[in-house]
Every structure is written in structure tokens, then in C-alpha cells.
Amino acid sequence: MSTTSTTSNDVLRARAKQTTISTSGSVSANQAGGEFNISTDALTITLPEISTETLGMEFTFRNTGADGNNIITLSPAASDAIHGTVAAISSGGVDNKDWINTKATANKGDWCTLKAVALTDWYLTGGDGVWASEA
């Protein structure tokens, strides 16, 4: 009798692509599913505009800079809004308002995940750290 052992590599296939961002710029819809690590201060990352073709896209952004060093600004398209709560801080859900990891309270490892769940609406599906809506 012969026995065969199989090993699954599902865990390896489930890994999200890690990208380091060191300059302000945009992420594109074809980068959805990726995780973006940001260790440089004062960067603005522009999110792709939500359309029927891009519903469901999801992005994770992580502060990898020193504690108290990085302000990270996530900027939706002019017609899009960010909704939800991270660590008891609620996003205002107002069109064209940024979601910001505040510098003074920033910690290495702060993160948030945004998902396009409706036309013009990004929702926070997870996160940690002190984030605030643009005034």
C-alpha cells in the first residue's frame, strides 16, 4: 500500500503584494488587493475613482515610518467619499475629503483598509491608529 502526502501552498498564493511608496502619487485600480507601506513623511496618495468596473477594489495602507514622524493622506476622487470608523474615529463621509493618519499620534504599524463598495463610496473595512477626516 502506497500513501501519498500532499502539501498545500494556499497560504503562499494568498499573500498580498507589498509595495513601498516613497513619493506622493496615485494608486491605480489594477493595483487593487495590494498593501502599500509608507515610511516617508507628508505623502498624499490619491485613490482611483470608483466606477462600475472597479467596484470591490480594496487597498491597505500601512505607516512604516518612525513613531510621530509620518503624516499620511489618502485622497479620494472629487466625487468619492470615505465612510467608516477606525479606533473610534469616524470618517465624515463627505465627498472629496481626505483620510489622514495624523503625524503627532502616528505609530509605526498604523494601517487602514479601504474598499469600494458603492459608486462614490469608499468604506473603511479595518484599521488601527489615529486617523482623521479632512476638515
Side-chain angles (χ1 to χ4, degrees), residues 72-130:
I72 298 169
T73 302
L74 304 177
S75 185
S79 62
D80 295 344
I82 298 173
H83 303 269
T85 303
V86 170
I89 307 290
S90 293
S91 172
V94 177
D95 287 353
N96 200 27
K97 294 293 182 180
D98 297 339
W99 184 239
I100 304 163
N101 187 207
T102 57
K103 185 172 184 166
T105 57
N107 289 309
K108 187 173 191 170
D110 287 353
W111 64 277
C112 75
T113 299
L114 297 169
K115 187 168 190 164
V117 299
L119 289 178
T120 74
D121 293 321
W122 290 99
Y123 279 80
L124 292 156
T125 61
D128 194 25
V130 177

Side-chain angles (χ1 to χ4, degrees), residues 15-119:
R15 292 184 297 177
K17 181 177 181 184
Q18 301 292 307
T19 301
T20 299
I21 297 177
S22 57
T23 60
S24 291
S26 299
V27 291
S28 66
N30 67 2
Q31 293 176 291
E35 295 184 7
F36 298 89
N37 300 307
I38 304 162
S39 62
T40 305
D41 184 33
L43 297 188
T44 297
I45 310 304
T46 302
L47 302 169
E49 186 170 7
I50 302 169
S51 69
T52 55
E53 293 81 24
T54 60
L55 281 174
M57 63 183 163
E58 183 175 75
F59 299 89
T60 296
F61 298 94
R62 184 177 301 105
N63 185 341
T64 56
D67 293 353
N69 185 63
N70 282 10
I71 183 171
I72 298 169
T73 302
L74 304 177
S75 185
S79 62
D80 295 344
I82 298 173
H83 303 269
T85 303
V86 170
I89 307 290
S90 293
S91 172
V94 177
D95 287 353
N96 200 27
K97 294 293 182 180
D98 297 339
W99 184 239
I100 304 163
N101 187 207
T102 57
K103 185 172 184 166
T105 57
N107 289 309
K108 187 173 191 170
D110 287 353
W111 64 277
C112 75
T113 299
L114 297 169
K115 187 168 190 164
V117 299
L119 289 178

